[in-house]
Amino acid sequence: MVHPTTTQARPATAAFIPRALTGDRPTGPLHLGHLFGTLANRVRLQNQGVELFVLVADYQTITDRDSPAALPADVEGLVADYLAVGIDPAQATIFAHSLVPELNQLLLPFLSLVTLPELLRNPTVKDEAAHAGMGALNGLMLTYPVHQAADILFCKATSVPVGADQVPHVEQAREIARRFNRRYAPERPIFPEPQALLSDAPVLLGTDGRKMSKSRGNSIALSASAEETARLLRGARTDSERHVTYEPERRPEIANLLLLTALCEGVDPHEVAEQIGARGAAALKHRATDAVNERLRPIRARRAELTRDRAYLRAVLRDGTAVARELAVRTLAEVTEAMHTIY
Ligand code: TRP
């Protein structure tokens, strides 16, 4: 089940095509948090007949990464992850930022529609600013939510399946859509206001009990081997109480292992807790390992097959980019007309 977090207001005159756009930074393999947080939703939308656009957000990696040479392998890995979980290039459009100049051109008018205090209020930007110090905050880091609005609006997406951390960015995109329409196209609005689609699955933590993140070494990659999965889960943090119970507030680490098991098995975490009970955390870790390896087995097999055919992965990206670009050209033409920059 997915549910809207915000109410939709779309231009009365535009034809309604359900279209979803979302994406990821190519900074390393996707993990279980992604699977239950957003990937499963994407596949569901695709299978419901929603037009799905999946963005390889390579221009977002230049905000804070300095290893460009790793990009091609990371991009191919990301495409392999997408296809392995069931995103179907015959139905969905997988494309990369940097290859769609018309998308990037939207950044310019969009930047004129936001204020500095507004950008600095964005929780993600705020975090980054606190981390780097204002002096070290680069211009793209400050404005990437505006670029992300261009990602969402160029294809007139009506929904954005994302994790909760991305909701402020979707709000920013809605604001930009409203302001653009009001300033340049009050009679015939160009951009629909997209809505965030959050997964119903509760948030999975990493094996250390903190937010699951590629950079923290606490995540289980979809592409990890069964042995690596077993090792990571053996090392997962637990607590000193013997009896296993599902109490997310009081016992977050145990609850997280129960949740992970339950999500993989498609059952309720309370049920898993009851079954393990007095057998303790070691038994729970075994059960979690089996559950994850079972759930990921077909995904891993498919992924291994895909990564042997790099030319195919590149072709998927190229074909998707051609579709995205056509759309971006059309949107930019509308924008150009609305802005009276035709001479
Ligand atoms: N910022 C997102 C992340 O870090 C990735 C992303 C880029 C995205 N552009 C997007 C997500 C557009 C949704 C819509 O995960």
Side-chain angles (χ1 to χ4, degrees):
M1 267 294 286
V2 290
H3 57 85
T5 54
T6 43
T7 50
Q8 166 133 13
R10 66 191 135 85
T13 50
F16 182 62
I17 321 150
R19 181 175 286 162
L21 175 125
T22 186
D24 304 276
R25 301 175 187 222
T27 53
L30 296 181
H31 54 62
L32 284 170
H34 294 114
L35 181 63
F36 295 114
T38 172
L39 294 173
N41 259 348
R42 299 181 195 176
V43 175
R44 202 172 301 125
L45 289 168
Q46 164 192 281
N47 295 342
Q48 286 168 356
V50 171
E51 241 187 290
L52 179 67
F53 283 72
V54 185
L55 165 66
V56 174
D58 56 350
Y59 268 174
Q60 267 191 20
T61 67
I62 61 174
T63 53
D64 59 355
R65 308 264 157 171
D66 48 18
S67 50
L71 259 180
D74 282 341
V75 169
E76 279 170 22
L78 193 54
V79 175
D81 279 334
Y82 290 155
L83 303 187
V85 298
I87 295 173
D88 173 8
Q91 299 179 71
T93 300
I94 301 173
F95 71 104
H97 256 160
S98 59
L99 302 176
V100 186
E102 298 78 9
L103 180 166
N104 293 295
Q105 200 170 329
L106 293 176
L107 180 61
L108 223 61
F110 287 1
L111 278 172
S112 75
L113 298 169
V114 296
T115 65
L116 185 58
E118 189 175 14
L119 290 169
L120 289 169
R121 262 200 313 273
N122 182 301
T124 319
V125 173
K126 228 164 145 174
D127 269 6
E128 288 302 328
H131 229 79
M134 268 303 279
L137 190 73
N138 68 52
L140 185 57
M141 186 51 100
L142 179 69
T143 57
Y144 90 87
V146 185
H147 190 235
Q148 187 156 329
D151 299 342
I152 296 168
L153 298 180
F154 94 92
C155 67
K156 306 190 178 184
T158 47
S159 63
V160 188
V162 281
D165 64 314
Q166 298 292 310
V167 170
H169 300 338
V170 181
E171 280 304 323
Q172 181 73 77
R174 293 168 63 81
E175 197 57 59
I176 289 173
R178 273 195 290 270
R179 289 177 193 164
F180 187 95
N181 290 338
R182 207 182 307 132
R183 180 179 298 179
Y184 294 110
E187 307 292 317
R188 207 159 53 90
I190 290 178
F191 295 113
E193 289 176 36
Q195 53 184 352
L197 282 179
L198 284 179
S199 156
D200 263 0
V203 175
L204 263 186
L205 301 175
T207 51
D208 57 359
R210 298 190 303 159
K211 181 175 155 54
M212 193 181 279
S213 147
K214 287 181 241 190
S215 56
R216 288 203 176 123
N218 65 357
S219 61
I220 299 169
L222 302 179
S223 55
S225 67
E227 295 70 36
E228 207 177 325
T229 302
R231 183 178 57 74
L232 284 163
L233 285 170
R234 252 196 318 276
R237 183 193 286 260
T238 55
D239 57 34
S240 55
E241 271 178 62
R242 169 86 198 161
H243 201 96
V244 168
T245 53
Y246 186 62
E247 296 174 78
E249 288 293 320
R250 194 174 70 82
R251 306 183 68 189
E253 295 94 353
I254 289 287
N256 192 54
L257 286 168
L258 287 165
L259 176 64
L260 174 59
T261 308
L263 286 170
C264 288
E265 294 181 356
V267 298
D268 188 280
H270 292 97
E271 194 182 310
V272 183
E274 267 161 42
Q275 289 158 356
I276 304 276
R279 287 163 52 230
L284 173 57
K285 287 181 178 181
H286 272 120
R287 167 96 172 249
T289 304
D290 288 346
V292 171
N293 283 337
E294 216 30 63
R295 176 72 170 77
L296 294 185
R297 190 191 313 282
I299 293 175
R300 287 167 172 170
R302 172 111 180 88
R303 193 182 189 284
E305 197 181 305
L306 285 160
T307 49
R308 279 195 288 273
D309 193 351
R310 297 179 53 194
Y312 173 68
L313 295 173
R314 295 272 176 125
V316 165
L317 194 61
R318 244 194 342 267
D319 292 352
T321 299
V323 173
R325 189 152 186 215
E326 213 181 293
L327 211 53
V329 167
R330 245 186 287 152
T331 302
L332 186 62
E334 285 179 72
V335 163
T336 304
E337 192 184 334
M339 293 178 69
H340 299 274
T341 48
I342 305 175
Y343 318 110

